[in-house]
């Protein structure tokens, strides 16, 4: 039987780079049983991966959806680790896979990167209250996303809905991986840091003050980037082994990735203590800030994104992911340690 043609988009990013690095360090089944290619923008970056033995295909960017669709039509499985809020690029990948399915008659698959901010409450604006714990074996997650988005459109959620509906229409089997707050140092060649903690650290270094949005007790979840990378590899291997037999795709193909929980008060105090330990700030207190100010500092003025990702609560259980065979290794000690590691990385990047 011919090997599966697999394409990974986002190899220069935080998650995608860690996936590629993880694969390069082991004789993983994914590399053995597929022709594995990386979608790269820029010949210089492509050479970095070529020198490590990876095949690459060049493109000009996700905005060129015609090229993205044409490239995608040559593959059986696409792992998309590019930012999850782009409807046009996500559906272009799926349209290309649909052409592949139609021409070959074989099943094709698309793994999409999203996030649990889709499920978060809105405690700052009081626009939405949510107390439930979501489980990725629950059958109504797709309808929930549709209902939430009808009330408050959110780019990432909009893209997820488009991924599922387009996949169903074109006979492409879709899986959405929905991680919570991602922490830890990535192991790729390019972007090695996450979003939330570095944003708060950078603003503290600029102002000399650690800022916190909202209530100390808002509860969020986390996963180490290396554990998350392993989940993508587990899902991709399952696709190649038996086509995700026994595991859902489409409307029920949403997989969570949380491994632990924190409050935003704990999160901010972790950053504060790291900055104090490194003598980067002199203040002895954390400053509470309003949503408008926080959004200007951390998210380019996007208040909805800021509220959902820096001060909201969400609770999930990754039952389906674990049933697939995912076995995260990082502990709460790793989570606590990452504040100092990430602070050092951010400070070094600003020298």
């Amino acid at each position: 039987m011919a090997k599966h043609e697999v394409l990974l988009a986002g190899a220069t990013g935080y998650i995608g780079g860690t996936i590629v690095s993880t694969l390069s360090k082991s004789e993983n089944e994914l590399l053995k049983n597929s022709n594995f290619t990386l979608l790269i923008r820029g010949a210089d970056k492509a050479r970095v991966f070529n020198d490590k033995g990876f095949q690459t295909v060049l493109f000009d960017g996700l905005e060129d959806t015609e090229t993205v669709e044409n490239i995608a039509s040559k593959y059986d499985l696409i792992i998309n680790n590019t930012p999850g809020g782009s409807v046009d690029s996500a559906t272009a990948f799926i349209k290309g896979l649909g052409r592949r399915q139609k021409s070959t008659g074989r099943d094709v698959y698309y793994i999409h990167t999203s996030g649990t901010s889709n499920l978060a409450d809105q405690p700052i604006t009081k626009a939405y209250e949510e107390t439930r714990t979501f489980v990725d074996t629950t059958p109504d997650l797709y309808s929930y996303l549709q209902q939430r988005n009808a009330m408050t459109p959110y780019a990432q959620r909009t893209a997820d809905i488009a991924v599922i509906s387009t996949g169903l229409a074109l006979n492409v089997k879709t899986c959405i991986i929905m991680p919570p707050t991602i922490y830890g140092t990535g192991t790729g060649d390019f972007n090695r840091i996450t979003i939330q903690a570095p944003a708060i650290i950078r603003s503290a270094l600029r102002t000399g003050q650690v800022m916190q949005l909202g209530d100390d007790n808002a509860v969020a979840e986390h996963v180490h980037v290396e554990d998350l990378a392993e989940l993508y590899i587990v899902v991709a291997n399952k696709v190649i082994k038996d086509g995700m037999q026994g595991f859902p795709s489409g409307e029920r193909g949403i997989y969570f990735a949380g491994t632990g929980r924190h409050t935003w008060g704990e999160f901010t105090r972790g950053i504060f203590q790291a900055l104090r330990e490194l003598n980067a700030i002199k203040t002895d207190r954390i400053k509470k800030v309003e949503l408008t100010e926080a959004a200007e500092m951390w998210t380019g003025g996007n208040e909805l994104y800021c509220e959902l990702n820096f001060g909201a609560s969400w609770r999930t259980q990754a039952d389906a992911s674990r049933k697939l065979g995912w076995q995260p290794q990082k502990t709460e000690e790793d989570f606590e340690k990452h504040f100092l590691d990430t602070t050092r990385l951010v400070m070094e990047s600003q020298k």
Side-chain angles (χ1 to χ4, degrees):
M1 182 177 176
K3 287 186 174 183
H4 285 74
E5 298 293 334
V6 178
L7 180 71
L8 184 143
T12 60
Y14 178 54
I15 303 171
T18 303
I19 293 172
V20 173
S21 171
T22 301
L23 289 171
S24 69
K25 293 174 184 175
S26 65
E27 294 189 14
N28 194 279
E29 293 297 311
L30 181 56
L31 295 183
K32 287 182 183 177
N33 298 324
S34 71
N35 293 317
F36 190 82
T37 303
L38 307 177
L39 180 63
I40 303 294
R41 180 167 53 184
D44 290 346
K45 291 179 179 177
R47 279 192 288 273
V48 172
F49 295 108
N50 295 151
D51 290 345
K52 295 184 177 184
F54 287 98
Q55 300 178 84
T56 57
V57 60
L58 291 172
F59 79 136
D60 290 330
L62 295 171
E63 302 81 9
D64 184 359
T65 54
E66 182 179 353
T67 298
V68 169
E69 181 179 331
N70 287 334
I71 291 171
S73 69
K74 299 176 175 63
Y75 294 89
D76 305 302
L77 165 63
I78 293 175
I79 305 167
N80 184 7
N81 292 123
T82 63
S86 172
V87 172
D88 292 343
S89 61
T91 53
F93 281 121
I94 296 170
K95 288 174 182 176
L97 285 167
R99 286 164 50 185
R100 174 77 167 184
Q101 194 281 328
K102 193 171 182 179
S103 67
T104 65
R106 297 196 300 268
D107 286 339
V108 292
Y109 302 85
Y110 174 77
I111 301 172
H112 184 74
T113 300
S114 182
T116 51
S117 57
N118 286 346
L119 313 172
D121 65 3
Q122 293 180 252
I124 314 300
T125 60
K126 311 297 183 187
Y128 192 83
E129 181 179 350
E130 183 57 79
T131 59
R132 82 177 87 175
T133 296
F134 294 89
V135 184
D136 55 7
T137 54
T138 302
D140 68 341
L141 289 172
Y142 178 48
S143 60
Y144 176 85
L145 294 177
Q146 292 174 307
Q147 292 163 10
R148 280 291 302 271
N149 223 48
M151 290 185 285
T152 306
Y154 177 50
Q156 180 176 262
R157 201 160 47 214
T158 302
D160 288 2
I161 294 166
V163 162
I164 294 169
S165 61
T166 306
L168 291 171
L170 298 179
N171 204 21
V172 175
K173 296 180 184 294
T174 61
C175 296
I176 295 175
I177 294 181
M178 207 176 271
T181 301
I182 309 168
Y183 74 93
T185 304
T187 57
D189 290 291
F190 297 95
N191 181 21
R192 300 180 66 200
I193 58 175
T194 185
I195 297 171
Q196 284 101 325
I200 297 170
I201 293 164
R202 290 187 192 104
S203 69
L205 293 172
R206 285 196 308 271
T207 65
Q209 182 72 61
V210 177
M211 314 285 190
Q212 181 182 330
L213 175 66
D215 196 313
D216 279 8
N217 298 318
V219 176
E221 294 172 320
H222 50 258
V223 63
H224 194 283
V225 65
E226 291 182 44
D227 282 335
L228 179 59
E230 288 289 352
L231 177 57
Y232 282 90
I233 294 168
V234 166
V235 174
N237 277 326
K238 181 66 175 171
V239 166
I240 289 172
K241 181 180 179 182
D242 59 18
M244 291 291 286
Q245 186 174 343
F247 290 87
S249 58
E251 295 150 297
R252 297 191 62 180
I254 296 172
Y255 294 84
F256 295 146
T259 60
R261 290 181 178 172
H262 62 269
T263 68
W264 287 110
E266 292 167 343
F267 193 86
T268 309
R269 285 192 293 276
I271 292 169
F272 175 79
Q273 289 163 4
L275 286 163
R276 291 275 294 179
E277 184 172 335
L278 295 171
N279 296 314
I281 57 171
K282 295 181 180 179
T283 182
D284 61 355
R285 65 183 62 190
I286 294 168
K287 179 183 176 183
K288 295 287 186 72
V289 291
E290 299 297 323
L291 179 57
T292 300
E293 184 180 358
E296 288 296 328
M297 288 190 298
W298 302 333
T299 62
N302 187 329
E303 292 187 10
L304 177 61
Y305 183 86
C306 186
E307 181 176 22
L308 295 177
N309 288 277
F310 287 84
S313 291
W314 63 80
R315 300 168 182 83
T316 64
Q317 286 180 206
D319 290 359
S321 295
R322 291 177 184 273
K323 286 177 182 176
L324 273 169
W326 182 49
Q327 297 179 323
Q329 300 298 308
K330 300 298 183 179
T331 66
E332 287 306 291
E333 184 178 345
D334 293 301
F335 177 68
E336 292 165 8
K337 181 176 178 291
H338 102 274
F339 293 110
L340 195 58
D341 295 340
T342 302
T343 302
R344 284 197 178 103
L345 273 176
V346 172
M347 291 176 66
E348 288 169 7
S349 72
Q350 295 191 349
K351 288 179 179 177

